[in-house]
Amino acid sequence: VETKTLKDQGYNLPLGLLKDGSLRKPFTFKPYTMAEDKAIARRIDSFGDGAPESVKVSFVLSQLLINLGGEDVSELEQGKRDLKVFGLGFGDIMYAYLMARVESLGPEVRFPSVCPWCEQAFTFDGDLLSVEVLTTEDPTELTKVVDLSVPWKVRGISATRVLLRPTPWGICHGKSVTPAEFQAQMYQGAIIGVDDKDPGSEDPITEIAMSPLDIDTLPKRLVNELDGAVNDLNGGPRLRLTTKCPHDGCGRPVTRPLPWGFDSFFG
Ligand SMILES: [Zn+2]
């Protein structure tokens, strides 16, 4: 696992599509013309108020991607291209979405902010190319076994180990959810196996798909413990920006969450 920036990573997925033992990373977009801009805006409008951001992100990418992981997807019908997008990991999707914004409207993002140090208002002037990205070149880093500090009673066993992978985007797509529901979906997609072997065992874990009801039984304490591993596996951009406070005599670094929602990003 390596931390880069959008500028370094360019048009390469942070994780990529696993094919024949290697990670296929390159992607390209069609040119973002006025016609494209109008077509996307019209379609996003048609989703109506309150449409989930995940649906808008999927649509933008499905509309703009012409090559994904070295495969030409421009001739695929919409439904098949959607499936390609849904199969990508969460981190890869958010990465490609940020790059779509860079390609179409440039890397600068501006929004009103207040300096936490001098408490004066200023216009946050951020550069998307400076966003940090967690990447890997090694396919074996796409799964991880994590020992649990307390057993998790699930599927009729007292689980002591879980097998994790990057959460596929499709799990989170199309549902309007609360943050807690979103977190549950992330875990449902990330946990692909459990067993009751000794912690530290070298034995492989049998893969079992988790249902939402299984995830509901996960102790919150274990969620906190697994959080770092789940985030690392998902890779992709850290959705935050840092700039310097422009006020005289301050100039201190200010970090803010990236306002990546479609309306503030493409509007
Ligand atoms: Zn300041």
Side-chain angles (χ1 to χ4, degrees):
V1 177
E2 200 182 341
T3 303
K4 297 186 177 177
T5 61
L6 240 73
K7 187 172 194 288
D8 297 331
Q9 188 67 10
Y11 291 90
N12 296 291
L13 297 170
L15 303 183
L17 299 166
L18 185 60
K19 200 173 172 192
D20 304 328
S22 70
L23 294 170
R24 310 292 168 99
K25 291 166 171 280
F27 61 94
T28 51
F29 294 123
K30 66 171 78 158
Y32 196 87
T33 58
M34 291 296 280
E36 208 61 62
D37 189 59
K38 279 193 289 185
I40 287 176
R42 197 178 310 125
R43 185 68 190 277
I44 296 276
D45 270 355
S46 78
F47 294 155
D49 291 343
E53 287 299 329
S54 60
V55 171
K56 300 178 188 175
V57 170
S58 296
F59 174 72
V60 168
L61 291 179
S62 184
Q63 186 72 16
L64 293 179
L65 282 167
I66 52 177
N67 190 296
L68 187 56
E71 185 192 344
D72 183 354
V73 295
S74 62
E75 300 298 322
L76 293 178
E77 57 187 82
Q78 187 76 39
K80 288 194 172 140
R81 206 159 56 231
D82 287 347
L83 285 178
K84 295 272 180 196
V85 169
F86 295 170
L88 286 178
F90 200 83
D92 279 345
I93 285 282
M94 288 311 294
Y95 184 80
Y97 176 71
L98 261 55
M99 285 301 289
R101 167 53 158 76
V102 169
E103 165 133 342
S104 57
L105 301 174
E108 303 87 18
V109 285
R110 291 193 179 86
F111 51 93
S113 189
V114 174
C115 176
W117 309 104
C118 67
E119 297 183 342
Q120 297 186 78
F122 72 103
T123 298
F124 193 106
D125 208 342
D127 176 6
L128 288 176
L129 294 177
S130 71
V131 169
E132 290 179 335
V133 190
L134 217 52
T135 71
T136 184
E137 302 293 329
D138 179 358
T140 66
E141 290 185 336
L142 294 188
T143 55
K144 186 174 186 186
V145 176
V146 179
D147 297 331
L148 303 178
S149 65
V150 292
W152 172 23
K153 293 198 179 357
V154 64
R155 298 292 179 117
I157 63 164
S158 194
T160 50
R161 305 193 304 165
V162 296
L163 178 62
L164 303 174
R165 66 155 176 194
T167 303
W169 177 254
I171 294 260
C172 308
H173 174 90
K175 302 158 192 139
S176 249
V177 291
T178 64
E181 287 166 342
F182 176 76
Q183 193 181 39
Q185 287 174 355
M186 289 293 275
Y187 279 81
Q188 192 199 335
I191 299 174
I192 53 167
V194 290
D195 74 14
D196 54 4
K197 297 224 168 92
D198 289 338
S201 167
E202 297 287 319
D203 294 343
I205 292 184
T206 312
E207 294 195 18
I208 308 168
M210 291 288 138
S211 73
L213 289 176
D214 292 330
I215 296 300
D216 280 347
T217 67
L218 185 62
K220 198 63 188 163
R221 166 180 175 178
L222 290 179
V223 171
N224 293 339
E225 279 178 24
L226 291 171
D227 214 36
V230 168
N231 280 329
D232 282 356
L233 275 170
N234 277 328
R238 304 185 75 174
L239 297 170
R240 59 184 204 188
L241 279 167
T242 301
T243 194
K244 271 189 180 150
C245 172
H247 287 293
D248 285 346
C250 182
R252 280 172 279 196
V254 181
T255 300
R256 286 284 176 261
L258 179 60
W260 57 267
F262 181 84
D263 290 339
S264 57
F265 224 32
F266 284 91

